[in-house]
Amino acid sequence: MKKITALITLIMLVIAFTVQPSFAESNSDKSTIEYLDDGSYYETVIEDSTSPWVVFEGWIHTYSTTTATKTKTTYYKNADGDVLWYVRVKGTFTYGDGTSKCTAVTPSAASQASSWKVSNISGSKSGNTASATATGKQYYDGSVIATKTKTVTLTCSSTGVFS
């Protein structure tokens, strides 16, 4: 009986370590820019947070779904390209078998300039989407002179394409 158990365990280990997963293409280093009337702009970038890994189902290790964590950040920049503040969403997704789902979301935001303060940071997830929202306020002599609220949304398709 011990030999049969050892043989079955060995066969399962060989199968588990010889099957090679194929992961969706990486969207890191791609950015989009949204210009505002005053010359400032939002730049949004999607980056890998962790390497995706595969969830196996059943005893016959067939691929079912893949789990990946990505980060999407929107930077608010002045006309000179200096980052004033940012809002970021980190989302963990499962995808494959024709579906995708956001399983966890972490919002964050911070000021990168002394005249700006960030508040009202919130995050949410729904279906295959993770979102974060924050408000940046610019101060001069203790008074608010500008307010910007921005939402960044990260979506995962059933094939692992992030946008």
Side-chain angles (χ1 to χ4, degrees):
M1 185 65 176
K2 288 182 181 180
K3 288 182 179 181
I4 293 174
T5 304
L7 180 63
I8 291 173
T9 302
L10 179 64
I11 291 170
M12 293 185 69
L13 287 171
V14 168
I15 292 171
F17 288 107
T18 58
V19 178
Q20 297 293 319
S22 67
F23 298 111
E25 73 175 66
S26 172
N27 290 355
S28 61
D29 299 328
K30 294 182 181 178
S31 66
T32 58
I33 296 178
E34 173 190 351
Y35 291 98
L36 305 176
D37 291 338
D38 63 359
S40 64
Y41 60 97
Y42 293 107
E43 182 175 10
T44 303
V45 180
I46 298 175
E47 301 168 306
D48 288 327
S49 291
T50 59
S51 297
W53 51 279
V54 177
V55 177
F56 295 100
E57 285 187 356
W59 290 101
I60 306 292
H61 297 268
T62 57
Y63 293 113
S64 176
T65 58
T66 301
T67 299
T69 300
K70 298 279 185 176
T71 300
K72 188 171 185 179
T73 307
T74 296
Y75 299 94
Y76 177 62
K77 298 182 174 185
N78 63 18
D80 294 330
D82 302 320
V83 176
L84 302 175
W85 62 278
Y86 68 86
V87 58
R88 176 176 293 142
V89 63
K90 180 179 178 181
T92 301
F93 298 85
T94 57
Y95 63 88
D97 289 342
T99 64
S100 64
K101 180 179 180 181
C102 178
T103 59
V105 61
T106 305
S108 60
S111 170
Q112 301 293 296
S114 60
S115 62
W116 285 84
K117 293 186 182 182
V118 178
S119 61
N120 302 327
I121 304 164
S122 64
S124 65
K125 63 183 173 92
S126 177
N128 65 338
T129 301
S131 299
T133 302
T135 300
K137 293 182 181 180
Q138 184 180 21
Y139 289 82
Y140 181 77
D141 281 342
S143 298
V144 176
I145 59 170
T147 301
K148 305 275 185 190
T149 298
K150 188 66 176 171
T151 299
V152 59
T153 302
L154 179 61
T155 303
C156 176
S157 75
S158 62
T159 58
V161 176
F162 290 85
S163 58

